[in-house]
């Protein structure tokens, strides 16, 4: 969590540094993710503490990558690295 680095939160990475993203309720409608940062969002828009609330997140706060859902047991599955089509970056800088 950018507000409390001792707290761990799990979010989907929506955009990488240099990408331009259309935000959902952030103070700016469009954001170019700065160097050394990512844009993260939860799956429940409007009810998620994510980049739409606090902005781009420093890569230094990134700890790990979630690979599976384990709880509740009926949701056990391997996570696929996909983005909802409506959340893809508008522009991606060339490497």
């Amino acid at each position: 969590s950018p507000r409390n680095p001792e707290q761990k939160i799990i979010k989907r990475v929506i955009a990488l540094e240099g990408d331009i993203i259309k935000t959902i309720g952030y103070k700016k409608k469009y954001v170019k993710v700065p160097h050394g940062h990512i844009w993260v969002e939860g799956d429940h828009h409007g009810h998620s503490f994510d980049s739409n609330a606090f902005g781009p997140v420093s890569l230094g706060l990134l700890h790990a990558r979630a690979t599976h859902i384990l709880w509740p047991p009926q949701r056990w599955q391997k996570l696929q690295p996909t983005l909802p089509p409506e959340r893809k970056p508008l522009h991606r800088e060339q490497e």
Side-chain angles (χ1 to χ4, degrees):
S1 170
R3 291 193 182 153
N4 179 1
E6 298 299 316
Q7 180 185 12
K8 307 293 185 241
I9 58 176
I10 298 174
K11 301 294 172 193
R12 182 185 313 266
V13 175
I14 299 294
L16 304 173
E17 56 188 11
D19 290 347
I20 297 172
I21 190 78
K22 183 177 181 184
T23 67
I24 303 173
Y26 187 60
K27 59 187 174 185
K28 296 179 184 176
K29 187 171 183 175
Y30 297 95
V31 171
K32 181 176 181 182
V33 180
H35 179 74
H37 290 73
I38 55 176
W39 188 268
V40 298
E41 293 181 358
D43 290 339
H44 303 289
H45 302 299
H47 302 286
S48 182
F49 182 59
D50 58 22
S51 286
N52 289 295
F54 47 70
V57 176
S58 171
L59 286 171
L61 292 175
L62 188 63
H63 287 281
R65 178 181 178 168
T67 60
H68 292 77
I69 294 174
L70 301 176
W71 195 261
Q74 63 268 27
R75 289 192 62 213
W76 283 5
Q77 63 183 292
K78 182 176 181 177
L79 294 172
Q80 300 301 320
T82 59
L83 285 178
E86 70 277 6
R87 296 310 300 142
K88 292 189 186 287
L90 301 173
H91 178 279
R92 175 154 281 163
E93 284 189 344
Q94 301 300 319
E95 296 182 17

